[in-house]
Amino acid sequence: MLRLRLTFFLLIVCCSVGIAQPLVRVSGIVYNEEKLPLSQVTVIVLGQAQSTVTDEFGVYTIYSSSKTFSIKYSLLGYQQQTLKFDEHSGARINRQVSLVANINELEQVNITTKQNQLSNTTTINISDVASMPLVSGNFETMLKTLPGVSTNNELSAQYSVRGGNFDENLIYINDVEINRPVLIRNGQQEGLSFINAELVSKAKFSAGGFEARYGDKLSSVLDIKYDRPDSNQLILSTSLLNTSLTAKRLAKKSFLLAGIRYKNNSNVLIKQDEKGSYNPNFGDVQLLYQYNFSPKFNLSFLGNINMGQFKLVPTNRETQFGTLANTLRLNVDYAGQEIDDYQTLGSAVTATYSPQPNLVIKFINSYFNTVERERFDIDGSYIFDEIDPDFTGENFGMVTKNKGIGSYYNYGRNSLNTQTLASEVKVDQNFNNHLFSWGLKFDQSKYNDKLNEYNYTDSAGYILPVQSKNIVLQNVINVENSIDIKNYSAYIQDSYTLSSYAELQLGTRATYSSLSRQLLISPRLLIAYRPNSNNKILRFTAGVYKQPPSYRTIREFSGKLNITQKAQSSYNTSLGYDYAFDAFGTRLKFTSEAYFKYSDRLIPYKIDNLRIKYLANEVSRGFAYGADFSIGGEFVKDLVSYFRMSVMHANEDIIGDSYVDNGKMVYPGYLKRPTDQRINFSIFFQDRLLNSPTYKVHLNALYGSRLPIGPPQTARYLDRFYIPSYKRVDIGFSKDFLDDAAFHKPKFLDKNFNSVILFFEVFNMLNINNTVSYLWLKDVDNVQYAIPNYLTGRQFNLKLIVKLKP
């Protein structure tokens, strides 16, 4: 397989060179009759496979492969406008466009524009996904570059937002809520996420203050749209880590999106401290088919089969840690193996009916079935030494003191079968200045969980803690759970135009859970104000967010269930400010938001890599506050770059966690939450080489400050250690053979392909040892040590993306 991929790369690079002309670029802003910018306006070069949509400030950029061409601007509810151009090769044109409202469809204007503009969301630039160097290859990984999102694991698609954990995030594809595997312990085992980046047409992300139309989670919403393509396309993307093939087909009354993906990241994992035979294989098949029976009614089907297996036969491990003055080294020899696998079958059918121009009704039915299994049986024999750190001496690197000789053993045979069925109705209707929305939903989740695992640690021939001559197993779990959870929910929401510059959104959700037997009411408010200058937006949000108990939150360390658990609640408020301005010869956008969240009835938890261990029988109250900042734009012509920073503080006070120490009662009070990452900073910067503009560089740099952690199976107030700050720089270099800046293009490629891009990527360019979790061992003196589990080191990758002409 590797030889085949490299041969394909060489064939592309060695193609003959012919002559072609650079593309014509047209950019500008689309307004309405009141000179307010219009978002989501479709901009198409007629007769070519070129299209785009305007952003929230009405800005667009598009290219033409010919000098004489026409561009069509269209938005539902407005009269289409077509402009003709006759320019010289490589021209850069700025054209402002004003669209006139169609009186017959005036109500539907608000349905399309308000849903895009009146929200507390960030629009994700889809074109960044292909060029951003991402070791996991999952779409969600790029969220970690957004303000408000914390990061400390490049192998995972999981993320935490503003002090929340992985389970507090909503993901939608075409209004269908997506469920994810539960048993994943670390990023090595994690395969392909549900989202296929090649099928995404639009993506929005909200780090808080989201609308009532979205579900019952505490932290964030990722809203993905798979939509009708502009033309027939066939896209091949292949690299040393993954391969995908995507087909997009158009018909008169229908369209089809289909994608096949395969991933094997063994090349990355073999460089970790734990050596052995890694065999991680993941793949999926996904499709979306929509048929338009009439202009008023269409039916769509979304299907996905996702499966994967992670197999590891470890052999040995060597980890050096500590300080310059006290350097320690752990050597482990392994026996046994680990095999984890999962299979997910997901499907959704959506019927959309629009009997009137101002009314849209959606009926959504979805079903997900996920089977997950963990099988591990690993025995590790270790030698724990202190070594000489003096690199100027003769004994540098030699053992000066043995800290312990022993073994540890981990055993597990776990399986979880999850079935989720959901039915939902969503309605949007316009009444003059009001966009009225409401919805009803029923979902049922069935869990069949079998847990059988245990471990023990043997130091210098003694099982710790020493209780008897018999072996004492630790963390023994042997249970079988079967539970059925039903949720009933409804929402109502009104988006009201107060004036030409101000809009108000009021909404509320009501949810009833069969598990907690609570009726939850969650009111939400958003006010947006756009001054007459059109380049500023001021937003204020306030709302209540309640998350009913789920199977994960009610399961204790021991595997037992707390079925009396109640819903978690969060009371949020935020103030945001967006400002678009011209600088450095381009259009830049600055966004900022300050927020405060108070929460009660939180379920405390501990995090071990990606595994969340809930203290299901405990309750806490907490708060999180901070601010997010971002500035982005085309600092380099035609290439978008971003600089983002977040500051945040998240605490919680576990109720009833007092204890007696030396005869005195101690009250721990407020503790740092496991996701209390105070500072996050990210850069995604793109540039061209001055002498060769078809060669580009894509730099992705991340920094996340340290995270609190403590030994497993201990009280939360003992989490006094810290995972060191996360620092990572990934860089990619690309050659676009058909770039618009190219004066010479290979004839064969220009004739048969719309795009051919070759990437060379360096992951973790600075080769920084980032810690994701710890292995906790004791020496002969019964002193516990935290041995770091490091993430991936420096790795090289080749990637090729080819788009064939229809």
Side-chain angles (χ1 to χ4, degrees), residues 144-149 162 590-593 595 626-631 642-648 677-683 701 703:
K144 299 175 184 180
T145 66
L146 298 181
V149 182
R162 292 180 176 175
F590 171 77
T591 65
S592 61
E593 187 167 67
Y595 60 88
D628 303 326
F629 307 93
S630 172
I631 186 168
Y642 304 96
F643 298 83
R644 290 159 171 154
M645 185 181 74
S646 298
V647 292
M648 184 266 297
Q677 197 167 45
R678 299 294 178 89
I679 298 176
N680 269 279
F681 180 74
S682 69
I683 297 174
Y703 172 82

Side-chain angles (χ1 to χ4, degrees), residues 139-160:
F139 181 90
E140 294 94 327
T141 308
M142 70 176 301
L143 297 180
K144 299 175 184 180
T145 66
L146 298 181
V149 182
S150 298
T151 178
N152 75 326
N153 192 336
E154 67 272 2
L155 286 174
S156 174
Q158 306 281 12
Y159 52 93
S160 60

Side-chain angles (χ1 to χ4, degrees), residues 46 170 204 217 229 235 275 417 457 481 551 582 646 658 716 796:
L46 298 179
L170 287 162
K204 298 188 297 183
K217 297 282 189 179
I235 305 171
K275 305 301 181 183
N417 188 354
T457 301
N481 299 318
Y551 179 72
D582 295 321
S646 298
S658 58
R716 274 278 288 110
F796 303 100

Side-chain angles (χ1 to χ4, degrees), residues 264-330:
N264 184 312
N265 59 351
S266 58
N267 289 341
V268 174
L269 301 180
I270 59 176
K271 292 193 174 184
Q272 296 193 288
D273 285 352
E274 191 170 80
K275 305 301 181 183
S277 174
Y278 287 89
N279 191 17
N281 291 286
F282 310 99
D284 83 333
V285 178
Q286 190 168 154
L287 65 88
L288 172 69
Y289 177 74
Q290 178 173 310
Y291 186 83
N292 300 318
F293 291 90
S294 72
K296 296 183 178 181
F297 178 73
N298 68 65
L299 197 66
S300 67
F301 171 79
L302 175 65
N304 176 267
I305 299 174
N306 192 324
M307 59 187 65
Q309 183 185 78
F310 172 78
K311 183 177 181 179
L312 169 62
V313 182
T315 57
N316 64 285
R317 165 180 175 165
E318 179 178 311
T319 302
Q320 190 165 302
F321 62 103
T323 64
L324 290 176
N326 184 23
T327 305
L328 303 173
R329 183 172 64 199
L330 175 74

Side-chain angles (χ1 to χ4, degrees), residues 567-702:
Q568 304 178 80
S569 300
S570 179
Y571 306 88
N572 299 5
T573 184
S574 68
L575 182 64
Y577 175 70
D578 296 353
Y579 175 56
F581 61 98
D582 295 321
F584 305 105
T586 187
R587 186 77 165 179
L588 300 178
K589 178 183 174 183
F590 171 77
T591 65
S592 61
E593 187 167 67
Y595 60 88
F596 177 82
K597 301 193 298 185
Y598 172 77
S599 304
D600 60 15
R601 296 208 60 85
L602 291 173
I603 311 303
Y605 57 89
K606 298 168 73 74
I607 294 180
D608 182 13
N609 204 318
L610 294 180
R611 193 184 194 192
I612 298 177
K613 298 180 178 180
Y614 284 98
L615 285 69
N617 294 310
E618 299 187 22
V619 176
S620 70
R621 56 178 175 264
F623 62 85
Y625 61 85
D628 303 326
F629 307 93
S630 172
I631 186 168
E634 293 185 5
F635 294 94
V636 177
K637 187 178 293 185
D638 305 337
L639 296 175
V640 179
S641 299
Y642 304 96
F643 298 83
R644 290 159 171 154
M645 185 181 74
S646 298
V647 292
M648 184 266 297
H649 179 44
N651 274 11
E652 68 177 339
D653 180 16
I654 300 176
I655 299 173
D657 64 343
S658 58
Y659 61 97
V660 178
D661 184 21
N662 293 326
K664 294 182 179 180
M665 186 66 68
V666 178
Y667 299 91
Y670 276 95
L671 310 169
K672 296 180 177 65
R673 301 201 78 190
T675 53
D676 180 51
Q677 197 167 45
R678 299 294 178 89
I679 298 176
N680 269 279
F681 180 74
S682 69
I683 297 174
F684 177 57
F685 185 77
Q686 302 184 91
D687 200 356
R688 297 178 186 266
L689 300 182
L690 295 178
N691 296 328
S692 302
T694 61
Y695 290 90
K696 306 180 184 72
V697 58
H698 317 276
L699 178 70
N700 187 32
L702 299 170

